[in-house]
Amino acid sequence: MINSNSYSNFRPYSNDNLTKWQQYRLDLFEFIFNPSTYISKWCAFLITFTIMVAVTGSCLETLETLNDLLFWKILELCCSIVFIIEYILKMIAVKNHLNYIKTAGHFIDFTSIIPIFFIFAPNISNIVGFLKILKLFRITKVISSNSMRVYKDLLIETLSKSLYGLKLMFFLIVIVMIFSSTILYEIEK
Protein backbone atom coordinates (compact mmCIF):
# COMPACT_ATOMS: atom_id res chain seq x y z
CA MET A 1 0.00 0.00 0.00
CA ILE A 2 1.00 3.60 -0.24
CA ASN A 3 2.73 5.11 2.74
CA SER A 4 1.02 7.77 4.80
CA ASN A 5 2.99 10.67 3.31
CA SER A 6 2.18 10.07 -0.34
CA TYR A 7 -1.27 8.48 -0.44
CA SER A 8 -2.97 11.87 -0.52
CA ASN A 9 -1.63 12.40 -4.06
CA PHE A 10 -4.06 9.73 -5.24
CA ARG A 11 -7.09 10.98 -3.30
CA PRO A 12 -9.87 11.14 -5.90
CA TYR A 13 -11.84 14.21 -4.79
CA SER A 14 -12.20 16.87 -2.15
CA ASN A 15 -15.22 16.71 0.14
CA ASP A 16 -17.47 19.34 -1.48
CA ASN A 17 -20.43 18.78 -3.88
CA LEU A 18 -19.85 15.17 -4.87
CA THR A 19 -22.07 12.85 -6.85
CA LYS A 20 -22.89 9.44 -5.37
CA TRP A 21 -20.18 7.75 -7.46
CA GLN A 22 -17.57 10.33 -6.44
CA GLN A 23 -18.55 10.00 -2.79
CA TYR A 24 -18.32 6.20 -3.11
CA ARG A 25 -14.81 6.47 -4.56
CA LEU A 26 -13.74 8.88 -1.84
CA ASP A 27 -15.15 6.63 0.89
CA LEU A 28 -13.51 3.59 -0.70
CA PHE A 29 -10.20 5.44 -0.87
CA GLU A 30 -10.36 6.33 2.83
CA PHE A 31 -11.44 2.79 3.67
CA ILE A 32 -8.48 1.21 1.86
CA PHE A 33 -5.64 3.68 2.27
CA ASN A 34 -6.48 5.24 5.63
CA PRO A 35 -8.24 2.65 7.78
CA SER A 36 -9.71 4.53 10.70
CA THR A 37 -13.05 2.82 11.28
CA TYR A 38 -13.50 -0.48 13.06
CA ILE A 39 -14.49 -2.31 9.87
CA SER A 40 -11.64 -0.89 7.79
CA LYS A 41 -9.11 -1.91 10.46
CA TRP A 42 -10.51 -5.44 10.43
CA CYS A 43 -10.30 -5.54 6.64
CA ALA A 44 -6.67 -4.40 6.82
CA PHE A 45 -6.05 -7.16 9.36
CA LEU A 46 -7.79 -9.68 7.07
CA ILE A 47 -5.52 -8.68 4.18
CA THR A 48 -2.45 -9.02 6.42
CA PHE A 49 -3.63 -12.42 7.68
CA THR A 50 -4.29 -13.56 4.10
CA ILE A 51 -0.78 -12.53 3.12
CA MET A 52 0.70 -14.50 5.99
CA VAL A 53 -1.40 -17.58 5.12
CA ALA A 54 -0.40 -17.32 1.44
CA VAL A 55 3.32 -17.03 2.23
CA THR A 56 3.17 -19.85 4.78
CA GLY A 57 1.33 -22.04 2.27
CA SER A 58 3.90 -21.25 -0.41
CA CYS A 59 6.69 -22.29 1.94
CA LEU A 60 4.97 -25.48 3.12
CA GLU A 61 4.09 -26.68 -0.37
CA THR A 62 7.80 -26.97 -1.16
CA LEU A 63 8.14 -29.88 1.30
CA GLU A 64 8.38 -33.24 -0.44
CA THR A 65 5.62 -34.89 1.61
CA LEU A 66 3.16 -32.03 1.09
CA ASN A 67 4.09 -31.14 -2.48
CA ASP A 68 1.22 -32.53 -4.57
CA LEU A 69 -1.81 -31.80 -2.42
CA LEU A 70 -4.86 -30.16 -3.96
CA PHE A 71 -5.18 -28.15 -0.74
CA TRP A 72 -2.32 -25.84 -1.79
CA LYS A 73 -4.00 -24.94 -5.07
CA ILE A 74 -7.29 -24.23 -3.28
CA LEU A 75 -5.47 -22.12 -0.69
CA GLU A 76 -3.63 -20.25 -3.46
CA LEU A 77 -6.91 -19.65 -5.29
CA CYS A 78 -8.66 -18.29 -2.17
CA CYS A 79 -5.77 -15.99 -1.25
CA SER A 80 -5.44 -14.78 -4.82
CA ILE A 81 -9.15 -13.97 -5.00
CA VAL A 82 -8.73 -11.75 -1.92
CA PHE A 83 -5.69 -10.07 -3.52
CA ILE A 84 -7.51 -9.54 -6.83
CA ILE A 85 -10.51 -7.97 -5.08
CA GLU A 86 -8.17 -5.68 -3.13
CA TYR A 87 -6.33 -4.74 -6.33
CA ILE A 88 -9.56 -3.92 -8.20
CA LEU A 89 -10.86 -1.83 -5.30
CA LYS A 90 -7.60 0.11 -5.16
CA MET A 91 -7.73 0.79 -8.87
CA ILE A 92 -11.30 2.06 -8.51
CA ALA A 93 -10.42 4.26 -5.54
CA VAL A 94 -7.32 6.08 -6.79
CA LYS A 95 -7.51 9.27 -8.81
CA ASN A 96 -4.59 9.14 -11.21
CA HIS A 97 -4.24 5.54 -12.38
CA LEU A 98 -1.11 6.13 -14.42
CA ASN A 99 0.82 7.66 -11.54
CA TYR A 100 -0.44 4.98 -9.15
CA ILE A 101 0.76 2.23 -11.50
CA LYS A 102 4.28 3.67 -11.22
CA THR A 103 4.38 3.29 -7.42
CA ALA A 104 6.03 0.45 -5.50
CA GLY A 105 2.71 -0.33 -3.81
CA HIS A 106 1.09 -1.10 -7.15
CA PHE A 107 4.05 -3.24 -8.21
CA ILE A 108 3.78 -5.28 -5.02
CA ASP A 109 0.02 -5.70 -5.43
CA PHE A 110 0.35 -6.66 -9.09
CA THR A 111 3.09 -9.25 -8.49
CA SER A 112 1.02 -10.83 -5.72
CA ILE A 113 -1.81 -11.66 -8.14
CA ILE A 114 0.27 -12.87 -11.11
CA PRO A 115 0.88 -16.48 -9.89
CA ILE A 116 -2.80 -17.45 -9.91
CA PHE A 117 -2.96 -17.05 -13.68
CA PHE A 118 -0.28 -19.73 -14.13
CA ILE A 119 -1.02 -22.11 -11.26
CA PHE A 120 -3.58 -24.19 -13.20
CA ALA A 121 -1.70 -24.15 -16.52
CA PRO A 122 -0.66 -27.65 -17.68
CA ASN A 123 2.88 -26.85 -18.86
CA ILE A 124 4.43 -24.60 -16.25
CA SER A 125 7.52 -26.63 -15.43
CA ASN A 126 9.85 -24.03 -16.93
CA ILE A 127 8.50 -21.12 -14.85
CA VAL A 128 7.82 -22.84 -11.52
CA GLY A 129 10.85 -21.25 -9.87
CA PHE A 130 9.82 -17.79 -11.00
CA LEU A 131 6.27 -18.32 -9.70
CA LYS A 132 7.62 -19.42 -6.31
CA ILE A 133 9.65 -16.22 -6.11
CA LEU A 134 6.57 -14.17 -6.96
CA LYS A 135 4.58 -16.00 -4.29
CA LEU A 136 7.23 -15.29 -1.67
CA PHE A 137 7.35 -11.67 -2.82
CA ARG A 138 3.93 -11.31 -1.19
CA ILE A 139 5.62 -10.91 2.17
CA THR A 140 6.50 -7.37 1.10
CA LYS A 141 2.77 -6.62 1.08
CA VAL A 142 2.84 -7.01 4.85
CA ILE A 143 5.58 -4.43 5.16
CA SER A 144 3.74 -2.00 2.92
CA SER A 145 0.28 -2.58 4.42
CA ASN A 146 -1.42 0.07 6.51
CA SER A 147 -1.80 -2.26 9.47
CA MET A 148 1.99 -2.39 9.80
CA ARG A 149 2.59 1.32 9.14
CA VAL A 150 3.17 2.20 12.81
CA TYR A 151 5.75 -0.55 13.26
CA LYS A 152 7.46 0.26 9.98
CA ASP A 153 7.72 3.95 10.90
CA LEU A 154 9.06 3.00 14.33
CA LEU A 155 11.67 0.69 12.79
CA ILE A 156 12.78 3.35 10.30
CA GLU A 157 13.03 5.99 13.02
CA THR A 158 15.01 3.65 15.29
CA LEU A 159 17.41 2.64 12.53
CA SER A 160 17.95 6.24 11.44
CA LYS A 161 18.76 7.29 15.00
CA SER A 162 21.16 4.40 15.51
CA LEU A 163 22.89 4.63 12.13
CA TYR A 164 26.17 5.86 13.67
CA GLY A 165 26.21 2.94 16.10
CA LEU A 166 25.49 0.46 13.32
CA LYS A 167 28.34 1.84 11.23
CA LEU A 168 30.69 1.57 14.20
CA MET A 169 29.55 -2.00 14.93
CA PHE A 170 30.04 -3.00 11.28
CA PHE A 171 33.52 -1.45 11.27
CA LEU A 172 34.48 -3.31 14.46
CA ILE A 173 33.14 -6.61 13.09
CA VAL A 174 35.23 -6.18 9.93
CA ILE A 175 38.34 -5.46 12.02
CA VAL A 176 37.76 -8.53 14.21
CA MET A 177 37.09 -10.67 11.14
CA ILE A 178 40.32 -9.54 9.43
CA PHE A 179 42.30 -10.03 12.63
CA SER A 180 40.85 -13.51 13.23
CA SER A 181 41.38 -14.61 9.64
CA THR A 182 44.99 -13.39 9.77
CA ILE A 183 45.62 -15.39 12.95
CA LEU A 184 44.01 -18.50 11.44
CA TYR A 185 46.07 -18.09 8.29
CA GLU A 186 49.29 -17.84 10.29
CA ILE A 187 48.38 -20.84 12.48
CA GLU A 188 47.54 -23.04 9.46
CA LYS A 189 50.71 -21.97 7.66
Side-chain angles (χ1 to χ4, degrees), residues 3-173:
N3 63 24
S4 59
N5 298 332
S6 65
Y7 84 92
S8 61
N9 295 340
F10 301 102
R11 185 182 177 95
Y13 308 104
S14 61
N15 287 332
D16 49 340
N17 299 330
L18 300 177
T19 65
K20 285 184 180 182
W21 172 249
Q22 291 171 336
Q23 185 62 45
Y24 172 75
R25 280 185 66 197
L26 182 61
D27 291 343
L28 182 63
F29 181 85
E30 291 297 325
F31 185 84
I32 293 173
F33 291 107
N34 192 15
S36 57
T37 64
Y38 183 75
I39 296 173
S40 63
K41 287 180 183 178
W42 268 103
C43 285
F45 174 76
L46 174 71
I47 296 291
T48 304
F49 182 74
T50 305
I51 294 165
M52 298 307 266
V53 167
V55 170
T56 304
S58 295
C59 292
L60 289 176
E61 79 174 324
T62 61
L63 297 174
E64 288 292 325
T65 57
L66 304 173
N67 194 359
D68 294 327
L69 294 177
L70 180 64
F71 173 75
W72 302 123
K73 290 188 179 187
I74 294 171
L75 180 72
E76 177 71 24
L77 180 66
C78 294
C79 293
S80 293
I81 287 172
V82 171
F83 297 147
I84 289 170
I85 290 170
E86 179 197 20
Y87 180 78
I88 290 170
L89 290 176
K90 282 182 180 181
M91 291 307 289
I92 290 171
V94 295
K95 171 181 64 173
N96 193 342
H97 294 92
L98 232 44
N99 285 341
Y100 178 68
I101 287 173
K102 297 175 187 175
T103 63
H106 174 266
F107 178 73
I108 292 169
D109 290 340
F110 188 70
T111 55
S112 69
I113 64 172
I114 289 175
I116 192 60
F117 298 112
F118 297 102
I119 199 82
F120 295 108
N123 298 327
I124 61 164
S125 60
N126 54 351
I127 60 169
V128 168
F130 178 69
L131 291 178
K132 287 180 182 179
I133 291 171
L134 286 181
K135 285 182 187 180
L136 291 178
F137 194 67
R138 290 176 177 165
I139 196 71
T140 58
K141 279 179 68 83
V142 172
I143 296 169
S144 66
S145 70
N146 281 332
S147 60
M148 300 299 281
R149 184 187 316 157
V150 174
Y151 304 114
K152 179 178 64 174
D153 292 343
L154 180 65
L155 179 66
I156 290 171
E157 181 181 345
T158 304
L159 286 176
S160 65
K161 287 183 178 179
S162 62
L163 196 57
Y164 178 75
L166 290 172
K167 288 178 187 176
L168 181 63
M169 182 184 70
F170 180 73
F171 180 72
L172 291 175
I173 288 173

